[in-house]
Amino acid sequence: HWSDITSSVDRADRWITELVRVSQVTQMTSEVVQPSAVNRACLQEMTPEMNRRGIRWTIAPGEAPGIQAHTAMLRQILISILANSTDAMPDGGDITVQWRIDGNNLKLQVIDNGTGIQDDIRNALFRPFFSTKSGGLGIGLALVKRMVEQWGGQVSLNRGPVGGTAVELTLPLA
């Protein structure tokens, strides 16, 4: 069927683009990034999709301090995390973006009250090409982990406070 072929090609195209991005990642120099501005831009970009699905979002007030990262890459990472959260809430729900300072790091959390992730799957999600989505290539979180670690940070997936999932990015302060 033509539409199946087209969607497979689109998927392969995204996959190749992602792989190229992963391979070029090592040459990317980090810069001082204002995370609150990036967060707001990503949430605004995702708002039409979230509205369609009955998802509300809130973002912590104030401006988080600058971090060592890469603006375009952090944007990709946040969009990817927000898209995952949105997918986990087919019947609507809430997404909260918050941050706190922990020593020399900024801990940035994206929390949803979606379906959550089983413990065994949670660890596998960081493996390249592992995906729970039909048609997903599962390169997302593996790339996120690689990027964040390259900036001297960490990424973790935990159970959210009221079910769902909390993705936490630990990023070095600038």
Side-chain angles (χ1 to χ4, degrees), residues 51-74:
N51 286 346
R52 255 199 312 281
R53 299 195 194 197
I55 295 170
R56 295 167 301 279
W57 57 263
T58 51
I59 185 168
E63 294 294 317
I67 51 169
Q68 267 320 118
H70 185 274
T71 305
M73 237 17 246
L74 183 62

Side-chain angles (χ1 to χ4, degrees), residues 64-121:
I67 51 169
Q68 267 320 118
H70 185 274
T71 305
M73 237 17 246
L74 183 62
R75 225 183 95 71
Q76 285 295 130
I77 287 171
L78 286 166
I79 290 282
S80 164
I81 292 169
L82 290 168
N84 284 344
S85 290
T86 302
D87 286 344
M89 297 187 287
D91 306 318
D94 295 287
I95 293 177
T96 306
V97 179
Q98 59 190 37
W99 56 270
R100 64 188 166 86
I101 296 168
D102 179 21
N104 295 325
N105 292 308
L106 179 76
K107 289 196 181 283
L108 191 61
Q109 285 185 319
V110 178
I111 302 167
D112 67 57
N113 61 355
T115 46
I117 305 168
Q118 291 156 320
D119 292 342
D120 52 336
I121 292 177

Side-chain angles (χ1 to χ4, degrees), residues 3 7 27 36 38 53 81 98 141 158 162 166:
S3 64
S7 70
Q27 289 89 18
S36 293
V38 177
R53 299 195 194 197
I81 292 169
Q98 59 190 37
L141 278 170
N158 301 295
V162 287

